[in-house]
Structures are given as structure tokens and as C-alpha cells.
């Protein structure tokens, strides 16, 4: 597919969110949803073991729903969360359990322990690979939950990357449906180990689910039944089609960290429903060390926001350059005709500040 690249200057502003005195936004676990033409933001509050709701139109705390930490309707650990069908769904992959917390406060448990897919994969063979900061979290579409899964083997081995990475669960029948998709070919190289950059990113799109990876320029679209639709290039033209990874026998953690500094990669892919677009966060490569000899970071530097809209059949890529030295990119989500990204530090404990990036 031929891609037209359009460089665009970013317009930004500031947005303040008033926190409750018990509130905090230190967690990667959050969700957004629109109800009665109002956008809401929900975050997991670990200190109070609760879901905290915020009205983004007013920038104010709304209310809190406490969640039990044990028992049949409790979770001791939260690894991921999402919104779907007037509910917030909380996941504990280690316990193979999820809670469906209704906006009315009702609670229902989902048990993944006995879940088997129609393709014959046993639940004992699965590992729920949640990493919310990379977008490796569940997503919802038409009563189906899609979530990242891997084979329960050493993640340095090639075998780890040779099974479908997406599981599909039907919430009405409370059962697994199928697993689908494939790891991008960059992860199937003999020396294709990328350490912490070996996560998948899941997002909905207008017709189904989008699958992408930190070290790949490609985004694959599937329909709601896991059928392949198309493969997109959502990256700048200079992004390598096949990045070279580390040896699978690598035991040097510093080499893994250095890779995330000097190489370009993607933090996550997300869907913007109002723009009907897929948005990717592409990191620009940088020198390993700063002028003072200290290491650069793998997260706070120069990034690109790449916007690919369905109305152009994803053939036009809008490219926005941003300086993320003061931004915390993992907490970012669609808002009106752009996105909100949380600022790295908050001067006041009762307020969280975001930068608004306008697109279009």
C-alpha cells in the first residue's frame, strides 16, 4: 500500500482534573467511556482498593466504587481493566479471574480457569500477558472480550512467539471462543529477542480488533470473529521493517534497557472513535547517553504521534512531533478531537494535570 505522509504541527493546551483527597493517578489501569454525551474517566485506586470515577467535561471527581479484596466477588490484585457494556471489568491474570463491576455498583465474577477455545487450546497452556502501559490489555467489542495470551513457556524462547497471541471470550455465554492472530515476523528471528519490548498492543477499531507490536511498523486488523482483514503500515517511512534483536541467550539486562533508548519503537496503538482513526506512539531513536554522561531514558524523549484514519482507507498518515520529556505517555486516551496525555509530575496532590493535543 502506498502511504502519503503529512507532517503537521501540534496544537496543545492544558487540562486540570480535580482529584478526591484519597485519589491518585499513579496506576496504568484506567478506562474511559461516554454516557449521556459526557466523557468519563475511571482509574484504579490501589490505596483504597476502589474504582474512582471522574467527569471529564467538568474536570471533577464524581464518585467511588469499592471492590472487595478477597472472596468470590473480590480481587486481590488488578493487572488490567477496561470498559464494556455499562461495566468496568477488572482482571487478575494470575488468579484467572475477572470482575464485572456495573456502573450501578453490581458485581459479577468471570472464571477463566476452565476456559477452553474451540481450537483446542487448554487453559493450562495459557498465560495472560497483561502489560497495560504498552496497551497489552483487554479490549471490548460487541459483547466480546479480546485479551493478550501467550504460551506458558520462557519468554526468551522462540516457542513463546509461535502461538496466536489474542484470545476471544464471549461474556454472555461466559466461555472462551477462539484464539487468533500471529506474532509479527520481527519476533520470529533466530536473534529476535527484545526484552520488555516483546508485548502486544490490542485496540478496537471500527469493525473489530487491531493488533500491533512495539518493534513492528505493521498493524493488523481483524473482524470481531478473528478473521484477518488487512495489514497496515502505521510508521514513518524510515522505520525499519525488520529490527534486529538481541540473542535469545542474552542475560544482560542493561542491553535490553539500552535497546529501548537507542532504537525506535512503539509504546501502544489506540483507537479514537470520534476521529475513526488509529493512533500510534512512535519513539524517535536517541543517543545512549546525555551530555553529562548519564543514560537517557527509554520513555521521556522525542516522540511522534501517528494518526491513520479509516476515511482515507488508512493510506494517509498524519505525523505530529511532540517533546515528551514532561509527559507520562502510558496514561493517555482520546478526548474530543485529540488526546489527553498526563503530565509527568503534579504540583498539587489534589489535581492531576494533562496536556491536550489537538488533531485534525
Amino acid at each position: 500500500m502506498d502511504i502519503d505522509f503529512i507532517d503537521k504541527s501540534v496544537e496543545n493546551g492544558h487540562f486540570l482534573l480535580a482529584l478526591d483527597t484519597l485519589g491518585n493517578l499513579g496506576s496504568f489501569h484506567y478506562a474511559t467511556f461516554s454516557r449521556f454525551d459526557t466523557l468519563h474517566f475511571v482509574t484504579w485506586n490501589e490505596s483504597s482498593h476502589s474504582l474512582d470515577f471522574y467527569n471529564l467535561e467538568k474536570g471533577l471527581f464524581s464518585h467511588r466504587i469499592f471492590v472487595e479484596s478477597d472472596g468470590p466477588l473480590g480481587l486481590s490484585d488488578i493487572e488490567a481493566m477496561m470498559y464494556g457494556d455499562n461495566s468496568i471489568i477488572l482482571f487478575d491474570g494470575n488468579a484467572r479471574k475477572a470482575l464485572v463491576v456495573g456502573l450501578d455498583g453490581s458485581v459479577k465474577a468471570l472464571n477463566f480457569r476452565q476456559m477452553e477455545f474451540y481450537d483446542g487450546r487448554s487453559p493450562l497452556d495459557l498465560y495472560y500477558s497483561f502489560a497495560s502501559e504498552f496497551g497489552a490489555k483487554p479490549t471490548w467489542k460487541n459483547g466480546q472480550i479480546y485479551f493478550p495470551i501467550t504460551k506458558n513457556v520462557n519468554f526468551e524462547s522462540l516457542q513463546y512467539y509461535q502461538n496466536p497471541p489474542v484470545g476471544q471470550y464471549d461474556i454472555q455465554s461466559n466461555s472462551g471462543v477462539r484464539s487468533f492472530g500471529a506474532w509479527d515476523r520481527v519476533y520470529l528471528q533466530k536473534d529476535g529477542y527484545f526484552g520488555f519490548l516483546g508485548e502486544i498492543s490490542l485496540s478496537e477499531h471500527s469493525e473489530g480488533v487491531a493488533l500491533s507490536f512495539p518493534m513492528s511498523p505493521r498493524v493488523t486488523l481483524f473482524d470481531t470473529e478473528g478473521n484477518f482483514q488487512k495489514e497496515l503500515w502505521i510508521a514513518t517511512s524510515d522505520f525499519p521493517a525488520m529490527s534486529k534483536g538481541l540473542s535469545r541467550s542474552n542475560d544482560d539486562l542493561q542491553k535490553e534497557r539500552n535497546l529501548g533508548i537507542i532504537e525506535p519503537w512503539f509504546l501502544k496503538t489506540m483507537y479514537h472513535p470520534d476521529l475513526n482513526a488509529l493512533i500510534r506512539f512512535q519513539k524517535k531513536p536517541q543517543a545512549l547517553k546525555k551530555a553529562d554522561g548519564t543514560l537517557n531514558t527509554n520513555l521521556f524523549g522525542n516522540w511522534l504521534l501517528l494518526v491513520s484514519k479509516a476515511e482515507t482507507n488508512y493510506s494517509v498518515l498524519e505525523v505530529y512531533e511532540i517533546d515528551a520529556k514532561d509527559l507520562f505517555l502510558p496514561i493517555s486516551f482520546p478526548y474530543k478531537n485529540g488526546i489527553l496525555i498526563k503530565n509527568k509530575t503534579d504540583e498539587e496532590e489534589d489535581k492531576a494535570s494533562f496536556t491536550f493535543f489537538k488533531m485534525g
Side-chain angles (χ1 to χ4, degrees):
M1 177 189 291
D2 293 329
I3 303 291
D4 292 327
F5 294 90
I6 302 177
D7 292 323
K8 307 195 83 169
S9 59
V10 67
E11 297 180 43
N12 59 41
H14 296 284
F15 180 90
L16 284 177
L17 186 64
L19 301 178
D20 180 81
T21 54
L22 295 177
N24 70 77
L25 293 182
S27 170
F28 300 126
H29 309 316
Y30 63 90
T32 60
F33 65 94
S34 183
R35 198 179 191 200
F36 306 126
D37 296 324
T38 299
L39 187 63
H40 298 268
F41 175 63
V42 190
T43 183
W44 174 249
N45 188 331
E46 188 172 346
S47 61
S48 59
H49 213 75
S50 67
L51 291 168
D52 291 357
F53 291 74
Y54 295 88
N55 183 320
L56 286 180
E57 303 303 320
K58 297 180 179 179
L60 296 175
F61 174 81
S62 173
H63 64 285
R64 172 175 290 127
I65 296 178
F66 290 96
V67 177
E68 296 180 19
S69 59
D70 53 21
L73 296 179
L75 284 182
S76 60
D77 185 35
I78 306 300
E79 293 185 275
M81 64 181 280
M82 55 170 274
Y83 171 80
D85 194 24
N86 294 319
S87 300
I88 303 298
I89 307 176
L90 303 169
F91 295 84
D92 183 348
N94 292 324
R96 297 175 181 262
K97 182 180 177 182
L99 289 184
V100 181
V101 182
L103 299 184
D104 59 0
S106 61
V107 180
K108 179 176 74 172
L110 303 178
N111 187 352
F112 291 162
R113 287 185 179 275
Q114 304 303 319
M115 181 172 62
E116 294 190 32
F117 299 108
Y118 294 162
D119 57 15
R121 296 181 71 180
S122 166
L124 299 178
D125 194 37
L126 299 180
Y127 173 71
Y128 297 90
S129 182
F130 298 135
S132 295
E133 63 270 34
F134 290 95
K137 57 188 292 188
T139 191
W140 170 283
K141 192 76 175 179
N142 298 342
Q144 306 290 304
I145 300 174
Y146 304 87
F147 49 89
I149 55 174
T150 57
K151 191 174 181 64
N152 196 13
V153 296
N154 189 327
F155 62 86
E156 293 181 0
S157 69
L158 188 59
Q159 187 182 11
Y160 182 90
Y161 304 95
Q162 291 179 333
N163 288 275
V166 184
Q168 181 179 346
Y169 180 88
D170 182 86
I171 196 167
Q172 184 172 1
S173 64
N174 201 5
S175 64
V177 179
R178 62 178 60 86
S179 55
F180 63 88
W183 284 86
D184 188 272
R185 46 194 175 272
V186 71
Y187 292 90
L188 301 177
Q189 304 173 84
K190 180 180 178 181
D191 291 328
Y193 175 61
F194 294 96
F196 74 95
L197 298 176
E199 303 287 351
I200 76 170
S201 182
L202 274 181
S203 172
E204 66 171 304
H205 67 90
S206 58
E207 300 175 8
V209 181
L211 171 65
S212 59
F213 302 86
M215 297 304 296
S216 172
R218 295 166 285 271
V219 177
T220 308
L221 304 187
F222 299 88
D223 66 17
T224 55
E225 296 183 350
N227 298 311
F228 172 84
Q229 289 186 321
K230 64 177 66 176
E231 183 179 272
L232 310 174
W233 179 288
I234 304 183
T236 54
S237 56
D238 59 348
F239 195 96
M242 286 288 284
S243 299
K244 182 173 175 54
L246 303 172
S247 167
R248 295 195 182 278
S249 60
N250 172 69
D251 59 359
D252 189 339
L253 184 59
Q254 190 59 55
K255 283 186 178 180
E256 292 182 22
R257 293 173 177 168
N258 293 351
L259 193 72
I261 296 173
I262 62 177
E263 296 290 334
W265 54 277
F266 297 93
L267 179 67
K268 62 179 178 181
T269 303
M270 65 182 178
Y271 176 65
H272 196 307
D274 292 338
L275 300 178
N276 195 11
L278 290 169
I279 300 173
R280 300 196 81 184
F281 293 74
Q282 179 180 321
K283 185 181 183 299
K284 298 181 71 173
Q286 58 184 340
L288 182 62
K289 294 184 178 181
K290 303 175 185 176
D292 62 5
T294 60
L295 282 177
N296 269 310
T297 65
N298 57 30
L299 189 59
F300 307 108
N302 292 320
W303 286 74
L304 301 172
L305 291 181
L306 311 179
V307 182
S308 185
K309 296 181 179 179
E311 67 181 23
T312 68
N313 198 29
Y314 303 103
S315 62
V316 176
L317 199 63
E318 298 176 2
V319 182
Y320 300 82
E321 186 165 353
I322 63 170
D323 183 350
K325 70 177 186 300
D326 295 321
L327 301 174
F328 190 65
L329 296 178
I331 299 182
S332 51
F333 48 90
Y335 179 72
K336 297 183 177 180
N337 60 340
I339 62 172
L340 285 177
I341 303 177
K342 187 180 180 297
N343 293 330
K344 188 166 60 173
T345 57
D346 301 314
E347 296 180 358
E348 301 178 58
E349 292 184 0
D350 61 346
K351 291 185 177 64
S353 61
F354 292 78
T355 297
F356 174 66
F357 290 89
K358 180 181 177 182
M359 299 172 183

